[in-house]
Amino acid sequence: MASSSTKSIFTSPFPSSSSSSKSSSSKSKSSKLSFLHNTSSSSSSSSSPISLKLSHFHSLSLRRRRCASFSVNGALKTVESPSVHKSQDLDLTSSRSKPTILVSEKLGEAGLDVLRGFGNVECAYDLSPEQLCSKISSCDALIVRSGTKVNRQVFEAAKGKLKVVGRAGVGIDNVDLQAATEFGCLVVNAPTANTVAAAEHGIALLTAMARNVAQADASIKAGKWQRNKYVGVSMVGKTLAVMGFGKVGSEVARRAKGLGMQVIAHDPYAPADRARALGVDLVSFDQAISTADFISLHMPLTPSTNKIFNDDTFSKMKKGVRIVNVARGGVIDEDALVRALDSGVVAQAALDVFTVEPPPANSKLVQHENVTVTPHLGASTKEAQEGVAIEIAEAVAGALKGELSATAVNAPMVAPEVLSELAPYTVLAEKLGKLAVQLVSGGSGITSVKVVYKSARDPDDLDTRLLRAMITKGIIEPISTSFINLVNADFAAKQKGLRISEEKMLLDSSPEFPFESIQVQISGVGSKFASSVSDNGNISIEGKVKYGIPHLTCLGTFGVDVSLEGNLILCRQVDQPGMIGRVGNILGKHNVNVSFMSVGRTAKRNKAIMAIGVDEEPNKETLQKIGTVPAIEEFVFLKL
Ligand SMILES: NC(=O)C1=CN([C@@H]2O[C@H](COP(=O)(O)OP(=O)(O)OC[C@H]3O[C@@H](n4cnc5c(N)ncnc54)[C@H](O)[C@@H]3O)[C@@H](O)[C@H]2O)C=CC1
Ligand SMILES: O=C(O)C(=O)COP(=O)(O)O
């Protein structure tokens, strides 16, 4: 039994890849947790791995017919998604039960091989936005590079089916992360495999620009021999400002040092010791741009870096500065750059990226004689493309299997060892959330939830993001028409006006386990079961993990000990002999099987709470009969 409740959260609706030896390396980067899927309803399944998978898959398919969509103004509305996985699809060996993965831009073969071992892969390049939107509603995953705009329309068109977008590269500015998050779609990228390629291309553009290689090449091919026109500038001893000292920026800096350049860098978030180790001075933005002979751009395109190079910043640069951009076209105001080139403030520019790609044929910038251009080739080496293809294929396959990815862009990233320790607590957290919301009279109107984690570990060492998300999922899912997962739990909570606060209480006990208990309190609402209200007026439930199984250990002011599996009947009664027998009899007569019973009481012959686990859901008549037992003061039926 211990494993069945834990297994359910680890179980993927999709078969795991049997063929790929490469994908095994992803195990070191990620751990299994079906955080993208509805996990709870399979927890009472048989412990056989196959039946767990089947029932889990089935619950997923039922769930998915109800999913959320968001209108352009962000309001939540319910849509019916196509019934994508019917029960006859449950043969996991059939290609119909495999996930469908759409690859919309050229991806290295090695990555495609990984994906083919796991799902049905469709490569469809150069799709129009309309074609992409029409295809996407049958896809579980989409893999893109920089050329596909994965905007809100795409997520709307996906109708809840799309679970993961994989960006085969670094920059995710072509993916609407807010929309992805709202729709519970995970976004992963491949952040490391093209670093060297981008840095090498930056250096290639730097040296080609300094020595007029592209212009001289065009001139000689046009039948000219212009040795005087194409006299270049030397790089040795010149100052290079690296703007954005991340992975690519650091590699550019390292290579520029090899060319004998003085390298300075600006990056508000880069650690000074990393810069020092490379012999690079970290300086302010203004200092970097005003002292540099060459400027190389390596920051991401974000709202705060959009057009960060504009008329104002060009005016602060040294006259005759040379600029390389292998980051994103949008970080430069391109009209301002043309003006700076015309005035000679900027002597030359070498650009791999543009605000609009491809840029218009008559672009003044592209046509400028002092500008060298390449068509977004930074990541385009054989080695980098094979690397990103494998990196993204493993991340996407892992996410579809329910693993947490180390390269998730819009979900909590948790180290595998932390994740495996947290796994049973995530099950407990979701069940506590689910239980708490069922105790609220009317089931809605919840605005304030407090979670108290009791632990003997240093609060700073406790990563509660996953638990908080699972509690939120547990609370929101039963009262929501939306499909809630770790990606959109926080968003969905905010949409519903739900505030979740957390407190970590340090206990003086053994720190062997991460948590001693987790308590969920809901304030400002009435309760269906008055005994769940604690002295401060809040609905309060507390649980623990015992031998890997989640247990309810406290309800209001009553201590109880109930394993949180199956369905639960809670009764408050006057403590007296024969109660268990009476209720057991009623359930037995109505063919409801009791899985366990437990009684917690305040004092002998005083008030008691009886918790009864039942396999079947009792009908109304059965519940009414329980209510007629004279000593029973109140009772509630809860589905876990
Ligand atoms: N042309 C191409 O084919 C390629 C382009 N890229 C672009 O290069 C960018 C950088 O890639 P990586 O180095 O791998 O990413 P990274 O995340 O390792 O580095 C980006 C750095 O920029 C810094 N940054 C953020 N805001 C900044 C600001 N306002 N001013 C200065 N620095 C700032 C960050 O702190 C970070 O250190 C990507 O976002 C992508 O857009 C990356 C690979 C290939
Ligand atoms: O990784 C990045 O950020 C890149 O810009 C590479 O883009 P690409 O995959 O070549 O379209």
Side-chain angles (χ1 to χ4, degrees):
M1 288 304 278
S3 56
S4 75
S5 64
T6 312
K7 258 181 197 161
S8 66
I9 199 157
F10 286 142
T11 307
S12 153
F14 300 116
S16 50
S17 165
S18 53
S19 62
S20 165
S21 58
K22 285 173 190 129
S23 66
S24 63
S25 67
S26 67
K27 298 261 167 6
S28 61
K29 286 190 267 171
S30 57
S31 279
K32 281 193 164 194
L33 181 64
S34 288
F35 68 101
L36 286 180
H37 313 301
N38 181 329
T39 54
S40 46
S41 49
S42 60
S43 60
S44 56
S45 319
S46 141
S47 60
S48 124
I50 287 297
S51 57
L52 265 171
K53 276 190 180 173
L54 294 182
S55 64
H56 179 92
F57 188 59
H58 187 59
S59 77
L60 184 75
S61 59
L62 291 175
R63 183 76 204 146
R64 217 166 267 126
R65 284 175 218 160
R66 232 166 26 108
C67 65
S69 168
F70 293 78
S71 58
V72 180
N73 67 11
L76 184 69
K77 65 182 185 208
T78 306
V79 294
E80 288 297 310
S81 73
S83 173
V84 283
H85 300 302
K86 299 216 180 97
S87 48
Q88 65 265 33
D89 294 335
L90 291 179
D91 174 7
L92 297 182
T93 56
S94 97
S95 63
R96 289 169 68 207
S97 62
K98 288 181 171 181
T100 298
I101 302 163
L102 176 63
V103 179
S104 69
E105 288 176 75
K106 180 110 182 68
L107 193 71
E109 272 306 314
L112 290 173
D113 284 347
V114 171
L115 295 172
R116 286 187 191 117
F118 177 72
N120 299 318
V121 180
E122 184 184 352
C123 296
Y125 306 147
D126 301 320
L127 293 174
S128 67
E130 294 73 28
Q131 287 169 323
L132 175 62
C133 283
S134 95
K135 267 191 183 299
I136 204 69
S137 62
S138 59
C139 299
D140 299 283
L142 169 66
I143 296 185
V144 301
R145 287 176 58 186
S146 60
T148 308
K149 302 281 168 266
V150 193
N151 53 25
R152 183 169 288 276
Q153 285 76 36
V154 175
F155 292 104
E156 277 172 351
K159 297 197 174 100
K161 166 91 166 143
L162 187 66
K163 290 171 215 70
V164 52
V165 171
R167 172 23 178 143
V170 188
I172 29 89
D173 44 285
N174 53 324
V175 180
D176 185 337
L177 285 184
Q178 177 62 31
T181 304
E182 289 175 18
F183 282 85
C185 179
L186 183 74
V187 179
V188 289
N189 71 350
T192 58
N194 68 20
T195 301
V196 166
E200 286 177 348
H201 198 62
I203 295 292
L205 287 179
L206 183 80
T207 51
M209 173 178 68
R211 300 307 296 269
N212 302 305
V213 172
Q215 291 85 346
D217 175 78
S219 149
I220 203 167
K221 283 179 176 145
K224 298 174 192 163
W225 187 255
Q226 299 176 292
R227 298 185 65 222
N228 293 334
K229 184 170 181 188
Y230 294 120
V231 174
V233 291
S234 186
M235 284 163 286
V236 70
K238 299 281 169 55
T239 298
L240 169 71
V242 172
M243 308 300 285
F245 196 68
K247 295 183 294 296
V248 179
S250 310
E251 290 304 320
V252 165
R254 193 194 303 280
R255 284 159 178 75
K257 295 286 278 184
L259 295 174
M261 301 185 84
Q262 303 287 337
V263 183
I264 56 175
H266 170 70
D267 187 323
Y269 314 106
D273 53 349
R274 180 148 53 84
R276 250 193 318 273
L278 285 178
V280 171
D281 282 338
L282 277 182
V283 297
S284 69
F285 184 90
D286 281 357
Q287 203 181 340
I289 61 168
S290 61
T291 52
D293 303 298
F294 293 82
I295 298 177
S296 193
L297 312 186
H298 302 289
M299 69 261 287
L301 176 61
T302 64
S304 62
T305 61
N306 188 33
K307 294 194 179 166
I308 197 170
F309 297 94
N310 50 39
D311 285 317
D312 180 45
T313 43
F314 287 129
S315 72
K316 293 177 183 162
M317 292 178 187
K318 235 179 174 178
K319 192 163 166 50
V321 68
R322 290 176 164 80
I323 297 179
V324 175
N325 187 7
V326 287
R328 280 295 177 268
V331 302
I332 296 180
D333 175 341
E334 292 179 340
D335 293 337
L337 178 56
V338 172
R339 287 189 284 276
L341 282 158
D342 287 343
S343 70
V345 168
V346 175
Q348 289 182 298
L351 311 170
D352 183 45
V353 283
F354 306 88
T355 305
V356 175
E357 293 184 358
N362 61 355
S363 157
K364 275 193 184 164
L365 185 61
V366 172
Q367 299 301 336
H368 203 288
E369 64 167 344
N370 295 335
V371 174
T372 303
V373 287
T374 50
H376 202 146
L377 291 180
S380 296
T381 62
K382 282 183 184 156
E383 296 83 353
Q385 282 312 307
E386 284 304 290
V388 288
I390 293 169
E391 200 176 0
I392 203 63
E394 290 184 343
V396 167
L400 287 172
K401 281 187 254 171
E403 296 171 1
L404 267 188
S405 168
T407 64
V409 178
N410 63 343
M413 286 188 268
V414 180
E417 57 284 5
V418 177
L419 191 60
S420 67
E421 204 185 25
L422 283 187
Y425 298 92
T426 61
V427 182
L428 172 66
E430 184 177 3
K431 296 216 169 184
L432 288 176
K434 240 181 144 175
L435 202 76
V437 70
Q438 290 180 73
L439 290 167
V440 175
S441 42
S444 59
I446 308 170
T447 54
S448 179
V449 174
K450 182 173 175 183
V451 185
V452 182
Y453 307 95
K454 294 181 188 161
S455 170
R457 294 198 186 164
D458 183 338
D460 290 342
D461 295 340
L462 292 174
D463 188 338
T464 58
R465 291 169 305 159
L466 274 184
L467 302 184
R468 176 196 157 97
M470 293 306 277
I471 290 168
T472 310
K473 179 179 188 301
I475 291 175
I476 294 181
E477 206 155 51
I479 55 170
S480 158
T481 48
S482 29
F483 173 70
I484 308 290
N485 63 13
L486 283 191
V487 176
N488 65 359
D490 271 348
F491 171 79
K494 274 194 200 113
Q495 284 282 103
K496 292 201 164 289
L498 182 66
R499 230 170 359 94
I500 301 187
S501 61
E502 292 174 289
E503 184 185 327
K504 295 173 186 172
M505 274 178 66
L506 186 60
L507 299 184
D508 187 16
S509 57
S510 157
E512 187 187 347
F513 301 108
F515 298 95
E516 177 65 28
S517 68
I518 302 174
Q519 187 185 64
V520 176
Q521 296 180 22
I522 303 184
S523 56
V525 289
S527 175
K528 270 184 202 163
F529 190 65
S531 315
S532 65
V533 176
S534 64
D535 293 340
N536 60 10
N538 297 341
I539 292 178
S540 173
I541 58 172
E542 187 170 304
K544 293 184 180 191
V545 170
K546 294 186 173 183
Y547 306 107
I549 300 179
H551 278 238
L552 177 68
T553 52
C554 195
L555 184 77
T557 53
F558 289 89
V560 288
D561 192 359
V562 184
S563 101
L564 288 171
E565 292 172 301
N567 303 316
L568 199 60
I569 299 171
L570 294 174
C571 307
R572 187 188 66 207
Q573 70 219 31
V574 180
D575 184 31
Q576 57 182 253
M579 290 303 297
I580 294 180
R582 267 195 237 175
V583 177
N585 252 338
I586 295 171
L587 291 169
K589 273 193 188 139
H590 289 84
N591 204 22
V592 177
N593 196 39
V594 172
S595 54
F596 61 83
M597 278 204 178
S598 140
V599 177
R601 58 190 185 177
T602 44
K604 232 185 207 178
R605 304 267 169 169
N606 204 325
K607 305 277 177 218
I609 293 277
M610 178 161 58
I612 307 160
V614 286
D615 292 337
E616 293 82 22
E617 183 173 343
N619 60 21
K620 255 191 179 164
E621 194 196 339
T622 318
L623 292 172
Q624 267 164 5
K625 279 202 179 145
I626 294 174
T628 59
V629 176
I632 290 186
E633 295 173 340
E634 61 168 345
F635 75 97
V636 66
F637 171 71
L638 304 165
K639 282 184 181 181
L640 293 173

